[in-house]
Amino acid sequence: MHDRVISHCTGPRSSQTVLPALFMRGGTSRGAFFHASDLPADSDLRDRVLLGVMGSPHPLQVDGLGGGHPLTSKVGIVSESDADDVDLDFTFAQLQPESTEVQTRANCGNMLAAVVPFAVEIGLITPVEDLMTVTVRTLNTGLVAEITIRTPPGPDGDRVVEFEGDTAIDGVNGTGSPISILFRDTAGSIAPSLLPTGRRRDELSLPDGITIEVTLIDNGQPVVILRASDLGLEGTETPETLEADTRLTSTIEHLRLQAGELMGLGDVSDKSYPKMTLVSAPSSGAALTTRSFIPQTVHRSIGVLAALTVATAACMDDTVAAEISQPGTGSERTLHIDHPSGSFPVELRLDGDTVTRSGLTRTARTLMAGSVFVPRSVWTGCDSDSTVSPTGTIRAQPEGSNA
């Protein structure tokens, strides 16, 4: 445990509430990271604070840290875990630029990549070796992952997170240090099971009444897999082209609402899941090509757990993905999932066509450390345990390690 001396009060140099935070990139996403104790315990108040932090609702999120896109309108909340076999707990919050919804039911594998670096940066855990493996539980769904980062000695001898390296991931410029994520028990993260209907193919009705075949699957993320050709598409269109087609986006939403009910998710009209993912023939060396909606905006790449779920379906006989994919052979495979920015490699171990283990590599980077200011009309932030700091900067004092 750590004695963390952090202000979340109104300091003498500001009339706003001061919140310590790191601004981080995780994979192909970006957002603010907080220690859970620095946010309100009440979830409704916490959500109002996060809306204030990110500047929602506004298309540009000009009065906050959000980037005007779902991929840059995310928040990570981290704390020490009280579970015996888990080191850190992580809550992912998805905000939308033009909505007041704060969703914490789904996972985000990209933001997950930044959790352990965040914990080391603020002193929640202390590295003792060049490679550090930490067990993280995502409170959104209970998903557990083992995350390994590089922590070499820094200039003063203390170990630090290594952010520079030779690992490139499509959708991010440059290279970084590899972050290995090994997932446990991802099937049925939000839906009741891997195949929530018990079938590998189901039918959904288009607005004109014509039915199309889909695969409804959840191996870390609820996903609806459908052929791009069934919607009159090649499957290689740019995100901008797809988003500009209002008839298409309306059709996608029409299908998504049906799929939500079939998958046991209920009314998903105000949810970011299931992810509607169009599949088409792959490029050379890839398993298949994807275009993923989140839920109406098209992902500029593909989400980590959506990629894992699509790769799982590609390896399962008689799914919509399997009929057009090139999933390779053998009990251990690396499937490359093509997306608008390149390709996403997913490592799978199989028993027959059942995925028993999955992993992948991401990169992350701390972009900024300091204070986020929230209007006092949203949250005063002060209580009897607060320690006022004029700057609100993080002053974590590690006294040990829980990893």
Side-chain angles (χ1 to χ4, degrees):
M1 299 297 292
H2 300 82
D3 180 16
R4 305 176 70 253
V5 185
I6 294 178
S7 167
H8 53 82
C9 276
T10 303
R13 297 182 186 176
S14 177
S15 63
Q16 300 185 77
T17 299
V18 180
L19 283 169
L22 296 187
F23 199 54
M24 304 189 73
R25 175 184 64 80
T28 56
S29 295
R30 189 185 71 198
F33 274 77
F34 299 93
H35 188 281
S37 65
D38 296 321
L39 293 170
D42 177 77
S43 60
D44 289 338
L45 178 55
R46 178 204 64 195
D47 289 353
R48 292 197 296 273
V49 169
L50 296 184
L51 289 166
V53 166
M54 301 308 286
S56 294
H58 187 277
L60 299 180
Q61 294 175 310
V62 69
D63 196 38
L65 298 181
H69 191 280
L71 297 182
T72 54
S73 186
K74 299 184 176 186
V75 171
I77 305 169
V78 182
S79 65
E80 305 94 330
S81 180
D82 59 5
D84 291 338
D85 59 346
V86 176
D87 301 307
L88 297 172
D89 283 339
F90 168 55
T91 297
F92 163 65
Q94 175 69 67
L95 290 84
Q96 300 291 338
E98 299 186 72
S99 171
T100 58
E101 291 290 330
V102 180
Q103 297 185 25
T104 56
R105 281 203 63 197
N107 297 313
C108 178
N110 276 303
M111 290 287 277
L112 181 63
V115 170
V116 178
F118 169 80
V120 174
E121 293 271 72
I122 71 166
L124 277 181
I125 51 179
T126 302
V128 295
E129 295 180 331
D130 288 346
L131 287 177
M132 180 183 199
T133 298
V134 178
T135 303
V136 178
R137 175 176 60 179
T138 300
L139 297 182
N140 302 61
T141 66
L143 178 148
V144 176
E146 295 177 2
I147 302 176
T148 302
I149 65 172
R150 296 182 179 183
T151 50
D156 61 359
D158 291 338
R159 292 185 178 276
V160 297
V161 180
E162 178 62 81
F163 289 112
E164 296 190 64
D166 299 325
T167 298
I169 61 173
D170 290 335
V172 178
N173 55 304
T175 60
S177 181
I179 296 174
S180 173
I181 305 177
L182 179 64
F183 291 105
R184 301 182 194 168
D185 303 327
T186 49
S189 67
I190 300 177
S193 62
L194 177 69
L195 297 170
T197 67
R199 298 179 291 271
R200 299 193 178 197
R201 295 190 189 215
D202 284 278
E203 291 187 346
L204 298 178
S205 298
L206 295 169
D208 61 6
I210 296 175
T211 60
I212 60 172
E213 288 186 321
V214 300
T215 292
L216 308 177
I217 184 169
D218 179 353
N219 198 27
Q221 187 76 257
V223 174
V224 179
I225 299 174
L226 59 160
R227 305 179 193 91
S229 59
D230 284 346
L231 299 181
L233 301 168
E234 294 293 328
T236 56
E237 291 83 358
T238 66
E240 293 79 8
T241 297
L242 296 173
E243 289 171 355
D245 187 342
T246 55
R247 182 175 179 181
L248 171 66
T249 56
S250 176
T251 297
I252 290 289
E253 183 65 5
H254 175 82
L255 295 170
R256 193 177 75 88
L257 295 177
Q258 293 178 60
E261 295 289 350
L262 281 175
M263 296 178 79
L265 303 173
D267 180 4
V268 296
S269 56
D270 62 348
K271 304 293 190 298
S272 63
Y273 54 82
K275 309 297 185 186
M276 306 296 290
T277 302
L278 311 180
V279 295
S280 58
S283 63
S284 177
L288 75 171
T289 296
T290 62
R291 295 293 185 266
S292 191
F293 289 73
I294 52 172
Q296 285 84 41
T297 303
V298 180
H299 205 302
R300 267 48 185 175
S301 55
I302 187 172
V304 167
L305 293 161
L308 169 58
T309 300
V310 170
T312 299
C315 294
M316 297 173 63
D317 293 339
D318 200 37
T319 65
V320 170
E323 72 178 42
I324 59 175
S325 70
Q326 298 176 12
T329 59
S331 60
E332 295 192 9
R333 311 177 195 176
T334 298
L335 272 65
H336 291 265
I337 307 300
D338 280 352
H339 55 73
S341 300
S343 188
F344 191 123
V346 179
E347 301 168 11
L348 300 176
R349 179 178 294 174
L350 296 101
D351 181 2
D353 69 352
T354 300
V355 173
T356 59
R357 178 176 172 176
S358 59
L360 46 90
T361 300
R362 299 273 83 187
T363 64
R365 190 165 76 90
T366 301
L367 305 176
M368 187 176 69
S371 306
V372 177
F373 294 83
V374 178
R376 293 189 69 186
S377 58
V378 176
W379 184 40
T380 59
C382 291
D383 56 40
S384 59
D385 297 325
S386 299
T387 302
V388 176
S389 165
T391 62
T393 53
I394 294 174
R395 292 184 282 126
Q397 299 177 345
E399 293 184 346
S401 172
N402 70 331

